[in-house]
Each structure stands twice: as C-alpha cells, then as structure tokens.
Amino acid sequence: MPARLAQISDFHVTRPGALAYGRVDANAALAAAVRALNALDPQPDVVIGSGDLVQGGADAEYDALTAILEPLRAPFLPLPGNHDRREGMRRAFPAQGFGPDHLQRALDLGDLRVLTLDTLREGSDEPQLDAGRLAWLDRALADPRPTVVAMHHPPAPSGVGWVDPVDAAWSDALGARIAAAPQIVRILCGHGHRSLFRPWRGVALSMAPSTAHQVALDLRPAAAPAFALEAPGFHLHVWDGAELATYVASTLGFEDRFAPG
Ligand SMILES: [Fe+2]
Ligand SMILES: [Fe+2]
C-alpha cells in the first residue's frame, strides 16, 4: 500500500514579531511551508516535523508554532531538536501522547512503519540516545515490517564541521541497531539545514532542508559558522509498497504555476 510522508524541518519559530538571529522571518517561512504542503494533491498521510521546531524553547514560541500549523491539512508528527524543550512540546502537542521519559513515537502507515526518535540532550546542542530510548528502539525494531526511522541529529557527519557533533561516537549504539535491522528503508534527519543524501551503515539517509534559513555550503574543516538565505524547502517521501523515493521541493514559488507552450 502506498504512503506519503512529507518532512519539514528546522522551523526555528520565534515569538510573534521577532526574527531568528535578528534576520530571518522564520514564522512567515513556516507559514509558506504550510501553504505548500496544503497544495499537495494527493495530500501526505503525515507531515513529520524533524526538530528545531522553535528557536529558544519558550512557551510563547510553541504557541506561535501551533497557531502557524493550525491550517495544516495533514496530520503532524513532531520530534525534538536541540532547540526544543520536551515540556514545551508536550504542552503544545497533547494529542501526541508523549511519554514521561522521551518523545519517541511509532506510527503505522499501511505496511510502512515510521519511528521517530528523540536525540535531544536538554541544555546542549549535542545529541544523545540514552539506554531508555535505545531500549524503546529495540522493542520497535522487533517488528519486521518496512520501517522509516526519523530523528533530528544526523547520525552520519554532514561534512559541515560546525554543525556536526563534537563526539561522533554518540551514534555507535544506534548504528549497530541499524545495521542489524534489514527492514529499515531510510533514516530521515534534519539539523543540517540543507538537503543531503548519503548511505550510513548500509542504509540510505536523507537530511531535509530548513523551512527558514539554510546552513552555508562550506566544507572547509575550519569553516566559521554561517547560514545562507538559499531557497527554503521540504522533502516528500513516497513509499510505493517496496521502495521509498524522495522529492525535494522549495516552498518559494511552489504555487506559482503556468502551462507550457
Ligand atoms: Fe536547526
Ligand atoms: Fe538542530
């Protein structure tokens, strides 16, 4: 049975009227993403928000976030990024039924399973998967159905040094589980603020762009932190019952269509 997963990431929503980094109207950018997603026909079965939903974790930011997402037609499935706070997300999304220890969820889309992981280490930009979250993943991966695993931090290096974790060993325990789970058809992540496709531990991995600002494409090892106002976008992952294909779309100009000839 086919399934469609849209993925939007790294909204960095601010208090109304504020700009992220004094420069980016992240709230207007997320509203543009919502309009683009609402224009999709057929609609996605779910829209995954792969973390950094807000900029600073304040309740006022989560209030702005839920107001901007309110017109979204498709169901929304959020997971936390390093800019998020678990309590803020529990309060903003009570219907998700998040547990007391982490914000991980399992969702069935026909014969495709979607697992969302919580890599948040509160108070730090560094990722973490503690024993409880890994044990949850072990139980989830006992199901042999085709599975997409989504998380905020890429477990593989993005290649942009200032974005990648200080200690790459954080993902070793995850990698061992990925390599031993042949039903995993894709790892989805965000955090890197640009599209990237690469294999990791034998599985295809994709990183989604930000709906707001992108990370400058600068692969020098000592590159200074820098964002770029490249066109924001999203990913649309389409499962045909056997394989997952990914479309990359920009939210700019998405609805401005004209006939050829
Ligand atoms: Fe981000
Ligand atoms: Fe992030």
Side-chain angles (χ1 to χ4, degrees):
M1 196 173 94
R4 294 172 207 86
L5 295 73
Q7 182 187 2
I8 49 178
S9 198
D10 293 270
F11 322 148
H12 292 261
V13 160
T14 64
R15 290 174 176 79
L19 299 176
Y21 305 101
R23 177 93 184 239
V24 183
D25 192 341
N27 299 21
L30 179 59
V34 169
R35 288 195 296 275
L37 293 169
N38 282 348
L40 289 171
D41 184 7
Q43 276 285 285
D45 299 291
V46 68
V47 175
I48 295 173
S50 50
D52 287 356
L53 311 180
V54 301
Q55 175 71 328
D59 284 350
E61 295 176 343
Y62 284 107
D63 289 344
L65 170 70
T66 52
I68 297 165
L69 290 176
E70 205 276 327
L72 186 66
R73 295 167 62 196
F76 182 63
L77 176 57
L79 60 86
N82 48 302
H83 284 253
D84 290 303
R85 294 293 170 267
R86 291 192 183 90
E87 271 318 302
M89 285 184 61
R90 287 192 182 97
R91 185 181 145 276
F93 303 105
Q96 294 292 332
F98 289 130
D101 300 325
H102 53 70
L103 306 185
Q104 300 187 159
R105 293 279 323 275
L107 180 71
D108 287 345
L109 297 176
D111 65 341
L112 183 68
R113 299 194 84 211
V114 179
L115 306 179
T116 52
L117 299 187
D118 175 345
T119 56
L120 171 59
R121 181 192 303 223
E122 283 201 337
S124 169
D125 289 333
E126 292 290 298
Q128 181 182 51
L129 280 173
D130 60 16
R133 286 174 259 172
L134 288 168
W136 180 97
L137 179 62
D138 286 337
R139 290 192 295 275
L141 289 177
D143 188 318
R145 284 178 291 175
T147 300
V148 169
V149 180
M151 68 200 81
H152 180 67
H153 296 85
S158 76
V160 179
W162 68 275
V163 173
D164 286 329
V166 173
D167 181 5
W170 78 275
S171 61
D172 286 348
L174 173 66
R177 287 161 170 82
I178 297 293
Q183 76 269 39
I184 298 177
V185 297
R186 179 74 65 81
I187 298 166
L188 308 180
C189 51
H191 186 63
H193 288 231
R194 66 169 44 256
S195 289
L196 172 68
F197 300 86
R198 57 161 294 165
W200 185 66
R201 309 293 171 105
V203 178
L205 177 150
S206 58
M207 186 170 81
S210 169
T211 55
H213 47 291
Q214 311 308 306
V215 162
L217 184 56
D218 187 340
L219 302 181
R220 293 175 296 168
F227 294 120
L229 296 178
E230 295 175 49
F234 66 96
H235 284 178
L236 178 63
H237 311 289
V238 178
W239 172 250
D240 66 2
E243 294 175 325
L244 192 75
T246 292
Y247 299 84
V248 181
S250 173
T251 57
L252 291 182
F254 191 82
E255 297 157 281
D256 187 9
R257 301 190 177 188
F258 58 94

